[in-house]
Amino acid sequence: MEQKRKTAREIIEGYDGPKLRIMEVCGTHTHEIFRLGVRNILPENIELISGPGCPVCVTPVGFIDEAIWLAEEKGCVITTFGDLIRVPGSEKSLAGARAGGARVNPVYTPTDAVAYAEEHPDEEVVFLAVGFETTTPASCMAVKQAKEKGLKNFSILTANKTMTNAYRALKGSADAFLYPGHVNAITGADSCAALVDEGIYGVVCGFTAKEILTALAVTITRLQEGKPFFMNCYPRVVTDEGSTAGKRMIEEVMEPCDTEWRGLGVIPQSGLRLRDEYAAYDARKKFGIPEMKGRSNPACRCGDVLQGKCTPADCKVFGKGCTPLHPIGACMVSDEGTCAAWYAYKRDVIE
Amino acid sequence: MAKTVTLAHGAGGKQTSELIHEVFEAHFKNPLFTADDAAVLDIEPGKLAMSTDGFIVSPYEFPGGNVGKLSICGTVNDLACMGAQPLYLTCAFVIEEGFPMDKLEEIAAAMEKTAAEAGVRIVAGDTKVAGKGQVDGVFITTTGIGRIREGVKTGGALARPGDAVIVTGDVGRHGCTILLARNEYGIVADVDSDCAPLWGAVDSVLAAASDVHVIRDATRGGVGTVLYEIAEQSTVGIRIDAPAVPVDPAVKGVCGMLGLEPLYLACEGRLVIIVPQEDKDAVLAALRQGKYTKGAAVIGEVTAENPGKVVMTTEIGAETLLPQPGGELLPRIC
Amino acid sequence: MCVGLPARVVNVKDGVALVDASGAQREVSAELIEELDPGDYVMVHAGVAIAKITADDEEETDALLDAVID
């Protein structure tokens, strides 16, 4: 009789080779990995590092300051994904601004912000466009819709980012990446397969318990074989070429630019801004926002955490000055943030 | 034009007495409902429980209830959690100028019906009218007293290692209903509030079990928040089996869309009950006979280890901490 | 990074799909997917169907491991 193949879990739990460092890039992976307790079944010689794949966490302080300036100085209604509301700016968060009378509305999708603008022609509505390739098409759709409807009271504040150059910047931080499946749904598996030639390895990973365990088991197996590798472990969602329509949508409305990642600094050509044809929908141009050099708390080590250089436990303010209710760094804000996840799931027990 | 509440209704004159007469007395009348400055009550000797709660909900009517029903259930359930049979309630209204009179009627009717079901009498009330925009629709505060069952002692500090942790039905329905009723996120689902008076359920539990340690009403903050409160007050750990927590599929779907955790959504008709293991089956059997508690389930146990913490056994069989509840519930998309 | 939810397509009209996730329904953009029919499953993120889903995770993960481990 044929011997039964090992399960993903058996492969993971049974690993006893040299130390492996695997970075889960996506914040939703970080969240699910904690929620499922995956770290608690890993052998000691496998380290999972949480990477910079949480748009909230990599959004620089100055961006929040810009949004607050729009709300307070220009009386704009700020529409945003809920995640950004508690992110600290230099002085305060959007929640703090709201308590002082600023209008801040969470929305489910950017096109809901367009609908709101259409229903409230007397209000200036600004959508905070954060996110990676997965989310950016939705913001582009919103801008296109606003243009088609001829809305004069809608604009977006862009902090959109793209992942490929971030992988390059992070090369060496880990032995392999678990690539963010929903980014690859747009960019395609090929975008990461191409990185193998540059010595960057990993697998595209899904989000259910089975998918995460399988992606880890495949990564461990391939790393043990010691050869360059890439594998799409999420083919039910991710195709080789990705979403042609999604990529086209981004390209039509936005163009690459250099951008600052909180903690990582400026990564060349890793950001997106509106093309000139859509300048009327660019809140920076429309309102002439002054340059904001955000000030973050110097004790905060979010940047090192994002690069896998230290864990939250190594940060002096973690769990003391910096908690989910009173976050100092962005990584403590979003449920996806590494520090928030550590605080929630790992503070002192169940190691 | 539809009749509305005006500032004159709150001024203490003729219109005030009309409002009281036509709306409140019409629904709340019983021999003890006072026309004087205070109700006069005969109370048998024994221990009493007393509780007060303010009810603000936007929108004030929602699938499965309205703020009136909520205001009775909330206080009745708070008393029931102490093992007290609810006896008397008072209610105070703050009504926004311009509030539709027929809606106020509906609210009063819901209060009457719910109070009758819970076996509690409304004995005194107060009405104020606030200017437009000073309150959102109508705010109701209810205060209640109840008689504690002989020999019953429940409290958040009384959970003991080894005890079973029970919830009386699927979690997060009320919070989800309100979220949908606000229609901020364009999501539609067939979910109604679990809002219900639970003295009957508690009565059956007290009859079925020799010793009930904790009964807690999982309102604001949901079951997750209540579990943390109990773990802290009793200095014990609580281990829950994540897949055993009952959640309505549509609630799960809504939470999936918005990135929310059902364990932190409010309930208004769900109790967390902690009893010794030997009473577990009898309590569960009693609850499953009840009108509002048919979906009762054991979700975990109390432990000596991890005091103050709630630990989850997850779907892959690993253990992890249930995240501490915190802050405003914001939909998480990215 | 990107919370995704698998959902079933109820109907599609003018680039907008009504999707259902175990009873929760919402209209989402179907602009990124060329052919979409009622009954199809999609991955939804921030109000946009980002991909058509072809299989469940059970079958797929088994096949992946079979391929990797001889």
Side-chain angles (χ1 to χ4, degrees), chain A residues 12 57 63 65 117 120 129 141 275 282 311 327 348:
Chain A
I12 295 166
C57 304
F63 179 79
D65 295 346
H120 300 82
M141 275 177 209
R275 290 186 180 279
D282 186 331
T311 68
D348 46 24

Side-chain angles (χ1 to χ4, degrees), chain B residues 1-331:
Chain B
M1 206 183 116
K3 215 174 152 195
T4 61
V5 176
T6 64
L7 284 175
H9 283 115
K14 182 163 156 279
Q15 275 135 314
T16 305
S17 52
E18 258 176 35
L19 178 71
I20 290 171
H21 188 68
E22 285 169 19
V23 178
F24 298 120
E25 275 182 10
H27 286 288
F28 301 162
K29 67 165 180 284
N30 66 67
L32 293 171
F33 189 77
T34 184
D36 290 314
D37 283 344
V40 177
L41 310 168
D42 259 328
I43 306 249
E44 289 168 31
K47 273 196 175 139
L48 294 177
M50 183 167 182
S51 181
T52 190
D53 211 339
F55 298 86
I56 299 174
V57 58
S58 176
Y60 58 81
E61 51 185 1
F62 45 83
N66 62 27
V67 63
K69 180 179 179 183
L70 200 63
S71 73
I72 302 293
C73 294
T75 293
V76 161
N77 294 350
D78 282 349
L79 295 172
C81 286
M82 303 312 295
Q85 177 178 8
L87 299 175
Y88 305 113
L89 282 186
T90 67
C91 52
F93 288 76
V94 182
I95 308 165
E96 186 182 16
E97 178 186 16
F99 194 78
M101 200 61 93
D102 58 336
K103 290 295 171 191
L104 193 61
E105 279 264 5
E106 279 175 29
I107 288 166
M111 292 173 75
E112 176 189 18
K113 187 168 166 235
T114 312
E117 186 184 344
V120 68
R121 289 203 215 179
I122 298 169
V123 295
D126 177 56
T127 309
K128 297 282 186 296
V129 179
K132 190 88 190 159
Q134 289 178 332
V135 298
D136 180 12
V138 55
F139 296 171
I140 305 176
T141 300
T142 56
T143 301
I145 53 175
R147 186 182 304 105
I148 295 178
R149 272 286 148 80
E150 187 77 37
V152 171
K153 187 163 186 259
T154 61
L158 300 178
R160 292 291 163 264
D163 286 356
V165 179
I166 295 169
V167 288
T168 63
D170 61 320
V171 307
R173 280 246 301 273
H174 180 75
C176 185
T177 303
I178 296 302
L179 199 74
L180 294 174
R182 287 183 185 156
N183 201 21
E184 284 165 356
Y185 302 115
I187 299 168
V188 177
D190 188 12
V191 180
D192 55 4
S193 171
D194 49 25
C195 178
L198 297 173
W199 165 245
V202 170
D203 197 18
S204 71
V205 166
L206 294 176
S210 56
D211 191 10
V212 179
H213 291 169
V214 184
I215 308 177
R216 260 293 151 87
D217 193 9
T219 55
R220 206 169 24 185
V223 169
T225 300
V226 163
L227 294 175
Y228 264 101
E229 286 168 5
I230 296 168
E232 195 153 298
Q233 281 181 273
S234 295
T235 329
V236 293
I238 293 179
R239 181 196 312 279
I240 61 170
D241 178 19
V245 177
V247 185
D248 181 87
V251 171
K252 221 179 253 180
V254 172
C255 286
M257 282 187 188
L258 297 177
L260 299 175
E261 167 57 67
L263 278 169
Y264 294 118
L265 290 179
C267 310
E268 288 293 342
R270 297 288 180 255
L271 304 172
V272 172
I273 299 178
I274 295 183
V275 295
Q277 286 290 340
E278 57 268 28
D279 284 325
K280 173 178 80 178
D281 293 332
V283 167
L284 215 49
L287 286 169
R288 286 180 177 163
Q289 302 286 319
K291 186 174 173 187
Y292 301 116
T293 50
K294 289 190 174 32
V298 174
I299 60 166
E301 60 174 355
V302 178
T303 62
E305 61 271 20
N306 302 321
K309 299 280 186 309
V310 181
V311 173
M312 273 193 303
T313 308
T314 72
E315 59 186 272
I316 63 166
E319 282 190 357
T320 190
L321 272 182
L322 178 71
Q324 287 253 26
E328 177 186 7
L329 278 183
L330 287 168

Side-chain angles (χ1 to χ4, degrees), chain A residues 9 31 34-38 40-41 55 81-83 85-86 98 106-108 112 130 135 209 213 325 335-336 344-350, chain B residues 184-187 228 242 257-259 261 306 309 311-312 314-328 330-334:
Chain A
R9 182 147 180 186
H31 186 80
F34 274 108
R35 192 183 65 80
L36 294 165
V38 172
N40 302 317
I41 65 163
F81 296 131
D83 316 48
I85 290 182
R86 293 190 301 115
R98 185 178 57 183
V107 292
Y108 172 65
D112 282 1
V130 296
T135 319
L213 294 181
L325 281 180
D335 277 3
E336 293 188 351
Y345 293 106
K346 204 180 169 168
R347 216 165 352 149
D348 46 24
V349 289
I350 329 232
Chain B
E184 284 165 356
Y185 302 115
I187 299 168
Y228 264 101
M257 282 187 188
L258 297 177
E261 167 57 67
N306 302 321
K309 299 280 186 309
V311 173
M312 273 193 303
T314 72
E315 59 186 272
I316 63 166
E319 282 190 357
T320 190
L321 272 182
L322 178 71
Q324 287 253 26
E328 177 186 7
L330 287 168
R332 178 168 79 81
I333 291 122
C334 50

